[in-house]
Amino acid sequence: MVETLSGIPVEVDIASEFRYRVPLANRSRLTVAITQSGETADTLGALRHAKECGSKSVAICNVVGSSASREADGVIYTRVGPEIGVASTKSFTGQLVALYLLAVHLGRTRGALSADSARALLDELMELPPLVSTVLARGGRAAELASALTPYPSFLYLGRGVTYPVALEGALKLKELAYIHAEGYPAGEMKHGPIALVDPKLPVVALVPRGRLYEKVLGNVEEVKARSGIVVAVASDGDDDIAGWADHVLYVPPASELLTPILCAIPLQLLAYHIAVLRGCDVDQPRNLAKSVTVE
């Protein structure tokens, strides 16, 4: 997102890996630390390491006055309200919005975006709330689908481009809430290993919204079906083609490509929630999880 809107090269890293390698953090780089609580040990450690290397830093977090917000040079609060459940849900979409706003700001600051282009991007963001309401109103479809999917012991989630992180989020929520093995994977890499797992007992959740990479992911769906896999597609309204390939479809309203992940994440979170409830799991206090991971 930042690369697309600002023209700035971006490197994404896991905090626990970043702090124990030799990162190229220096005064010419900006380190963005993303943490719901602002107290996550590895994220704080990575933030401090980057600052020691001379990097400027920005924290994206939800808790005002948290350690990350105090130690970073700047902070963007997601302001999504308290997360009651251990498995953060609304924080994920809030973080995506914060990153979108940061990307637009950097694009304007660097001259990569004209005032009109930035205004159009912000207008698209302002149109998002009613689209989110539409997705939430369709939550009954996720509940119905959960009944059909609850018996399966393992899931594969596929996304490409901006939807790959959403595939990771969907798989994470199913693991956290329902205690079911799930793996998020780049759709373009499916043939480099995960395709060996595809059989009639493996639901494959494919993120297939309309966009630049639609045909590519649709090709992955076709390959899954050719091997008798079960396909659950998250697709754009009006996409009749996907219905001919997928066993189940969760539709979301069309939106700009960079905002599509927010809409696609919601039905996956709802699906994990309903599967967990059907399995008798405590969705507010999942086993073995803590609200803030304050130790390594």
Side-chain angles (χ1 to χ4, degrees):
M1 188 182 297
V2 171
E3 285 185 335
T4 300
L5 298 183
S6 70
I8 301 173
V10 175
E11 181 179 346
V12 179
D13 216 329
I14 299 171
S16 59
E17 295 294 329
F18 177 88
R19 65 186 297 202
Y20 290 115
R21 64 180 177 85
V22 183
L24 299 177
N26 53 50
R27 295 183 183 276
S28 66
R29 292 181 179 241
L30 175 68
T31 299
V32 181
I34 304 173
T35 163
Q36 190 279 139
S37 66
E39 304 295 344
T40 305
D42 282 323
T43 307
L44 287 173
L47 175 63
R48 291 162 184 162
H49 184 69
K51 288 172 66 67
E52 290 172 359
C53 294
S55 173
K56 288 292 184 180
S57 59
V58 171
I60 293 178
C61 70
N62 189 39
V63 181
V64 177
S66 60
S67 296
S69 68
R70 295 196 309 269
E71 296 188 28
D73 296 303
V75 58
I76 302 174
Y77 289 114
T78 53
R79 301 189 186 279
V80 298
E83 282 280 1
I84 304 303
V86 170
S88 177
T89 50
K90 61 186 178 182
S91 286
F92 179 77
T93 50
Q95 288 163 355
L96 293 182
V97 171
L99 288 169
Y100 186 89
L101 292 172
L102 176 62
V104 172
H105 172 72
L106 291 174
R108 283 293 294 136
T109 302
R110 290 175 54 87
L113 290 175
S114 67
D116 288 343
S117 296
R119 188 175 299 109
L121 289 165
L122 294 177
D123 286 343
E124 290 175 347
L125 181 62
M126 293 298 291
E127 295 169 0
L128 197 61
L131 301 182
V132 170
S133 295
T134 298
V135 177
L136 291 172
R138 298 173 180 177
R141 172 59 182 147
E144 294 173 3
L145 183 54
S147 297
L149 298 178
T150 297
Y152 293 97
S154 186
F155 285 68
L156 176 65
Y157 287 70
L158 298 176
R160 193 157 185 167
V162 293
T163 61
Y164 167 49
V166 182
L168 295 176
E169 164 69 3
L172 176 64
K173 286 296 173 286
L174 195 65
K175 285 182 280 195
E176 288 181 323
L177 298 179
Y179 317 145
I180 294 175
H181 170 260
E183 183 175 359
Y185 219 80
E189 298 295 309
M190 186 184 74
K191 287 187 286 186
H192 295 278
I195 197 169
L197 299 173
V198 176
D199 64 20
K201 298 179 181 179
L202 178 75
V204 178
V205 182
L207 291 148
V208 204
R210 288 288 188 183
R212 294 178 302 116
L213 299 174
Y214 173 80
E215 298 293 340
K216 297 291 186 181
V217 184
L218 185 59
N220 294 122
V221 169
E222 294 171 358
E223 290 179 347
V224 171
K225 289 306 298 178
R227 291 158 178 81
S228 302
I230 302 165
V231 174
V232 178
V234 179
S236 302
D237 285 348
D239 184 355
D240 297 326
D241 294 335
I242 194 65
W245 290 102
D247 299 278
H248 311 280
V249 183
L250 294 168
Y251 284 105
V252 297
S256 67
E257 183 175 3
L258 292 178
L259 294 175
T260 295
I262 296 174
L263 298 177
C264 290
I266 297 170
L268 297 188
Q269 292 173 337
L270 289 172
L271 184 63
Y273 167 83
H274 287 295
I275 291 176
V277 170
L278 290 173
R279 288 170 59 89
C281 303
D282 185 343
V283 295
D284 289 323
Q285 297 290 330
R287 68 188 184 198
N288 304 333
L289 297 184
K291 190 60 188 162
S292 296
V293 182
T294 56
V295 295
E296 292 187 58

